[in-house]
Amino acid sequence: MNENLKIFFDTLFGQMPQTEWDLLKSILEPLEVPKGADIHKNGKQCKHLWYLDKGAVRVYEYSNDTERTTHFFIENNLFIDYHSVLTKLPSEIGFRAEENCIIQQMSYDKLLLPFDKSHYLERLARLMAERQFVMEFELRKQLLNFDALERYEFLIKTQPYIFKRFALKDIASFIGITPVSLSRLRKMK
């Protein structure tokens, strides 16, 4: 299954040399995570980067003792709590399998070793961090500037699969409304 990860990198950043792929492949740990299980719990320091081969993952946080959804990931995506990894502080977010998942797990400490051996992999990591920064910035901008209807319409337009693969209560939480309000929006459309 880890060939999907190579295809992911090749598609986004160009053909990865075999030597670098061998370095990266040596640190991959395949995991099968059942639906409903936490891949990483909030309150614990994040020490891994994950690649989702198959399945669906929801990112959640707690605010005023209420669980809120912050992100959705489906196959062919990387995810990490980069803040926790870099600061070594406990995570304020958790990752939960919303479907049975097949994941390639990489220890962040082990991931740094190939970077020291390969300028290519070090550059790849920088490009991935830049890509993630841009995606987070766009999401933040959307959440600050769009009302609930606009966020709902944006999700339908850009990520329609979310409505088939994630619970409506979690989608409502992501949009920042109640499930009842989401039902009303769906009926309007």
Side-chain angles (χ1 to χ4, degrees):
M1 285 301 238
N2 58 26
E3 289 303 315
N4 290 340
L5 179 57
K6 175 139 180 5
I7 293 166
F8 172 81
F9 287 132
D10 289 348
T11 301
L12 286 178
F13 307 110
Q15 186 71 34
M16 181 184 290
Q18 188 62 44
T19 307
E20 274 73 7
W21 174 240
D22 291 341
L23 283 170
L24 195 57
K25 192 167 61 170
S26 71
I27 64 165
L28 297 177
E29 302 170 44
L31 297 177
E32 291 187 24
V33 182
K35 179 179 178 175
D38 280 319
I39 298 158
H40 172 74
K41 292 184 180 192
N42 67 332
K44 297 198 180 259
Q45 182 190 344
C46 184
K47 297 180 179 184
H48 295 92
L49 168 70
W50 296 276
Y51 173 76
L52 186 55
D53 258 325
K54 182 180 178 193
V57 171
R58 180 176 64 88
V59 185
Y60 64 92
E61 66 182 10
Y62 287 95
S63 177
N64 300 322
D65 294 325
T66 301
E67 187 177 289
R68 281 192 337 204
T69 298
T70 63
H71 295 74
F72 300 102
F73 293 106
I74 60 165
E75 43 277 314
N76 301 316
N77 272 289
L78 290 165
F79 57 99
I80 186 172
D81 181 351
Y82 209 41
H83 179 267
S84 176
V85 167
L86 294 178
T87 63
K88 301 196 182 321
L89 294 172
S91 290
E92 294 181 21
I93 61 173
F95 300 101
R96 184 166 296 142
E98 296 297 326
E99 297 175 355
N100 292 330
C101 293
I102 298 174
I103 294 172
Q104 299 295 328
Q105 177 174 274
M106 294 164 262
S107 160
Y108 194 77
D109 288 340
K110 287 181 184 178
L111 187 59
L112 295 177
L113 298 174
F115 295 167
D116 292 336
K117 296 176 184 175
S118 167
H119 176 67
Y120 175 90
L121 289 176
E122 187 177 47
R123 180 176 173 275
L124 180 72
R126 180 184 53 82
L127 291 172
M128 288 187 316
E130 289 171 359
R131 179 176 177 262
Q132 186 63 37
F133 174 81
V134 169
M135 289 172 24
E136 289 297 319
F137 183 84
E138 291 298 321
L139 176 62
R140 182 179 175 274
K141 191 167 69 172
Q142 178 201 109
L143 292 174
L144 289 173
N145 298 320
F146 288 8
D147 64 25
L149 178 59
E150 290 169 320
R151 288 193 296 270
Y152 171 74
E153 289 172 338
F154 183 80
L155 277 180
I156 288 175
K157 181 180 173 187
T158 61
Q159 299 171 305
Y161 58 84
I162 286 176
F163 293 89
K164 294 179 179 144
R165 300 184 67 181
F166 294 92
L168 290 178
K169 71 174 180 57
D170 296 326
I171 296 169
S173 168
F174 177 78
I175 293 172
I177 59 177
T178 66
V180 172
S181 296
L182 178 58
S183 292
R184 281 191 209 116
L185 286 178
R186 294 184 68 183
K187 287 178 185 170
M188 287 173 42
K189 291 294 175 181

